[in-house]
Amino acid sequence: MGRSPCCEKAHTNKGAWTKEEDQRLIAYIRAHGEGCWRSLPKAAGLLRCGKSCRLRWMNYLRPDLKRGNFTDDEDELIIRLHGLLGNKWSLIAGQLPGRTDNEIKNYWNTHIKRKLLARGIDPQTHRALLSGNAASSGDGAPSNKATRPAPPHPTAVPAKAAAAIFAVTKPPPVADSSDDGGRSSSGTTSTGEPRCPDLNLDLSVGPTPSSPPAETPTSQRPVCLCYHLGFRGGEACSCQADSSGPYEFRYFRPLERGQYT
DNA sequence: AACTGTTCCAACCGCTCACGG
DNA sequence: ACCGTGAGCGGTTGGAACAGT
């Protein structure tokens, strides 16, 4: 049995891509678009595995990629999303336009893990580490955020549930976005620029935006995802919550390709 | 300057998922 | 319902770049 190999290994290049290979791949995708990665290498005249072409394009050559350092906002969002989703890098990347799953995964393993450990937080469970090697290390970690309690259910939600959470839904009415006082997760700064220009999420939990819950018992109310992620009290979302949880919830939607630059 | 250890990231590998026949 | 195929995902690795001695 066994799977057939994804490509003819004997005649494929491996390792770092050359500029010429990059140019060929870019030119081909510009001309024909993405799709059918298996046949792309041959069609594009590349001695590469289709998977390798896809990876190179997705992680490095795509024109909408944002290169450069992660911002503090992105850091915090990644941490919270990881607390909710676990190692679902592609889902996390879906909420960070211009960032790739591979990039986020690398960044997590090289930076954020260490950052959390310095805060005294276990990067896998998002719970406080046992005293002894805890946050007191004082290497400059922000204090407020370090003391935020871990989410109630820190382990990853099942993949399908996670995918459902991030299901693309109909965007909310435009008028709705104008009266949130710039306090949503994609709010604006005093200069009118988006405070978090890349965080235009449309995460739906429960009913779709077109059918908001009417009279729902508290225990059955849909949970605002930004609330779940810790953006509360106007920190980054305008959900109205009282001691029993959020009454209103916002729906976030990943930007369509081309909506961001 | 030379060597060694560490960090970081691009790329690979193998597995699972989704879909069409 | 089942099976085969292709796409996508997450874990891991190799090696270049950098820092320290």
Side-chain angles (χ1 to χ4, degrees):
Chain A
M1 290 268 294
R3 299 167 57 82
S4 59
C6 72
C7 50
E8 186 59 54
K9 297 198 180 222
H11 300 100
T12 54
N13 291 339
K14 292 177 82 172
W17 280 65
T18 65
K19 286 213 176 261
E20 188 189 342
E21 286 177 313
D22 282 348
Q23 290 309 316
R24 277 180 185 266
L25 181 57
I26 291 169
Y28 183 86
I29 291 177
R30 276 189 184 148
H32 302 93
E34 295 177 34
C36 199
W37 294 106
R38 191 179 173 89
S39 60
L40 184 147
K42 193 174 180 183
L46 287 164
L47 295 175
R48 288 278 179 176
C49 166
K51 285 172 75 169
S52 181
C53 293
R54 178 187 158 273
L55 206 68
R56 182 67 177 172
W57 173 255
M58 294 295 188
N59 290 335
Y60 202 81
L61 299 176
R62 257 165 51 196
D64 56 342
L65 289 181
K66 182 201 292 182
R67 314 297 301 182
N69 295 335
F70 283 74
T71 66
D72 287 344
D73 282 344
E74 286 175 314
D75 274 19
E76 291 305 317
L77 184 63
I78 291 168
I79 290 167
R80 286 178 179 148
L81 287 169
H82 186 274
L84 178 67
L85 302 169
N87 295 357
K88 297 287 180 284
W89 305 117
S90 63
L91 284 171
I92 294 171
Q95 306 311 314
L96 288 152
R99 302 294 189 186
T100 69
D101 55 352
N102 205 36
E103 191 178 13
I104 291 171
K105 180 173 59 180
N106 283 332
Y107 188 65
W108 176 269
N109 286 325
T110 57
H111 291 85
I112 298 183
K113 258 187 181 176
R114 204 175 304 156
K115 186 174 173 177
L116 288 179
L117 287 170
R119 292 181 185 179
I121 297 170
D122 185 320
Q124 276 311 308
T125 64
H126 292 258
R127 292 183 188 280
L129 290 167
L130 295 177
S131 62
N133 50 351
S136 55
S137 61
D139 66 347
S143 55
N144 280 355
K145 289 164 182 175
T147 56
R148 185 177 290 119
H153 298 291
T155 53
V157 296
K160 285 186 179 178
I165 289 170
F166 290 99
V168 175
T169 58
K170 198 172 70 178
V174 174
D176 188 41
S177 62
S178 62
D179 62 359
D180 68 2
R183 299 169 68 191
S184 69
S185 62
S186 57
T188 57
T189 65
S190 58
T191 64
E193 282 186 280
R195 187 175 61 186
C196 231
D198 296 313
L199 307 182
N200 183 7
L201 310 173
D202 182 4
L203 310 172
S204 69
V205 179
T208 62
S210 57
S211 59
E215 285 292 318
T216 312
T218 303
S219 62
Q220 293 175 15
R221 281 183 189 137
V223 177
C224 165
L225 189 81
C226 33
Y227 181 89
H228 194 94
L229 294 175
F231 294 106
R232 300 164 198 177
E235 184 183 350
C237 106
S238 62
C239 299
Q240 296 175 3
D242 64 6
S243 58
S244 66
Y247 273 95
E248 296 182 0
F249 48 94
R250 296 169 59 79
Y251 296 93
F252 296 95
R253 177 177 63 86
L255 285 168
E256 302 285 341
R257 181 162 296 167
Q259 280 186 285
Y260 48 84
T261 53

